[in-house]
Amino acid sequence: MNTNFIRLPLAALALCAASVTVHAEEAAAPAYTVSANVGLFSQYIFRGISYTQENPAVQGGFDLAHESGAYLGVWGTNVSDLALSNATGEIDVYGGFAKTVDDWTFDVGFLQFIFPGGKLDLAGGGTETLNTLELNAAVTWKFIQLKYSYAVTDYFGFSKKSFGADSDGSDYIELNANYEFMPSWIANVHVGHQKVKNYDDYDFTDWKVGVTKNFEGGWQAAVAYVDTNADKNFYTICDNGIRCKDTGDSKWLIYVKRTF
């Protein structure tokens, strides 16, 4: 019997199997993914309030995600030092864990707001920081999300030292819908309510209606109409008492950004 006739096919099969194994390993998804984003915005709006006095903002960040569902990120923007007292910008550090089961996604995490230079000057001397830490939880069904955020520190400088009472325990609840009504076209609807503990005059509800368009190459553009019922007596910011802006009034948001 010619044993070479047997060995050659077996060797070829072994080589093919090895090749398949190598390609399978190359095709395996990485355990970690890293992405970045940068965008130009007509203004910086946070929960319906303009923190750039309706002036443009450049924003961007980095995200790290693990296949387990854990994630961590950092994001930054310019702000108005009038809307956020003495702040030169805002840096957010966030993280958490998200798990998807069928059409449902469950997400728990934290969000640390950092305002470099941001502080309130106290009448009796000294300062109070604006930095705030929130914990949050969200549940999403298909394109609808319900999210709750809870401040475990004083909220944006509202404290016993600055205004007479602490504000830890302030919270924000929001309902979001992002529906793709045509390929790459997404309708955005949002409503939320901010409660500042022990400072009821600063409570408000905000809402937004807009549309987002996704393009190839990670590009995205959007336009939205935003409004709140925030009391203008408490959310109007003046520049030396001359130029005043109601940061909670109705406004348009337009932006273009890219994700890498």
Side-chain angles (χ1 to χ4, degrees), residues 120 122-123 127-129 153-155 157-168 197-199:
L120 296 173
L122 305 180
T127 61
E128 181 62 85
T129 181
T153 64
D154 286 321
Y155 183 78
F158 288 87
S159 70
K160 187 172 184 180
K161 290 194 301 180
S162 58
F163 297 113
D166 292 329
S167 62
D168 53 308
K197 188 176 180 180
N198 294 322
Y199 298 90

Side-chain angles (χ1 to χ4, degrees), residues 183-241:
S184 77
W185 288 89
I186 302 170
N188 313 117
V189 180
H190 158 91
V191 62
H193 181 73
Q194 176 69 62
K195 179 174 179 57
V196 185
K197 188 176 180 180
N198 294 322
Y199 298 90
D200 294 347
D201 290 333
Y202 288 88
D203 295 353
F204 64 86
T205 297
D206 71 288
W207 52 93
K208 179 181 77 172
V209 177
V211 62
T212 299
K213 167 64 175 174
N214 292 319
F215 299 91
E216 293 183 359
W219 288 95
Q220 183 183 80
V223 59
Y225 176 78
V226 184
D227 202 358
T228 79
N229 66 354
D231 191 331
K232 66 179 182 180
N233 294 315
F234 297 96
Y235 284 91
T236 296
I237 307 296
C238 296
D239 184 358
N240 296 322

Side-chain angles (χ1 to χ4, degrees), residues 237-248:
I237 307 296
C238 296
D239 184 358
N240 296 322
I242 301 174
R243 298 171 54 194
C244 296
K245 291 281 188 181
D246 179 3
T247 59

Side-chain angles (χ1 to χ4, degrees), residues 64-219:
L64 172 66
H66 187 262
E67 62 182 0
S68 66
Y71 62 89
L72 185 67
V74 61
W75 175 90
T77 181
N78 59 291
V79 301
S80 164
D81 61 359
L82 296 175
L84 291 163
S85 302
N86 303 302
T88 58
E90 176 181 334
I91 300 172
D92 296 346
V93 178
Y94 52 88
F97 182 84
K99 184 69 174 178
T100 298
V101 180
D102 295 327
D103 291 331
W104 296 86
T105 298
F106 304 91
D107 190 337
V108 293
F110 72 91
L111 173 56
Q112 173 68 62
F113 301 90
I114 303 170
F115 301 99
K119 62 183 184 302
L120 296 173
D121 296 316
L122 305 180
T127 61
E128 181 62 85
T129 181
L130 304 181
N131 297 347
T132 303
L133 174 62
E134 287 185 343
L135 302 181
N136 54 68
V139 58
T140 303
W141 176 77
K142 294 186 177 180
F143 60 90
I144 300 174
Q145 181 195 66
L146 178 65
K147 183 176 181 180
Y148 178 74
S149 301
Y150 181 88
V152 295
T153 64
D154 286 321
Y155 183 78
F156 284 39
F158 288 87
S159 70
K160 187 172 184 180
K161 290 194 301 180
S162 58
F163 297 113
D166 292 329
S167 62
D168 53 308
S170 298
D171 59 11
Y172 184 75
I173 187 167
E174 59 187 295
L175 183 64
N176 304 293
N178 298 288
Y179 179 70
E180 187 172 17
F181 59 94
M182 288 195 304
S184 77
W185 288 89
I186 302 170
N188 313 117
V189 180
H190 158 91
V191 62
H193 181 73
Q194 176 69 62
K195 179 174 179 57
V196 185
K197 188 176 180 180
N198 294 322
Y199 298 90
D200 294 347
D201 290 333
Y202 288 88
D203 295 353
F204 64 86
T205 297
D206 71 288
W207 52 93
K208 179 181 77 172
V209 177
V211 62
T212 299
K213 167 64 175 174
N214 292 319
F215 299 91
E216 293 183 359
W219 288 95

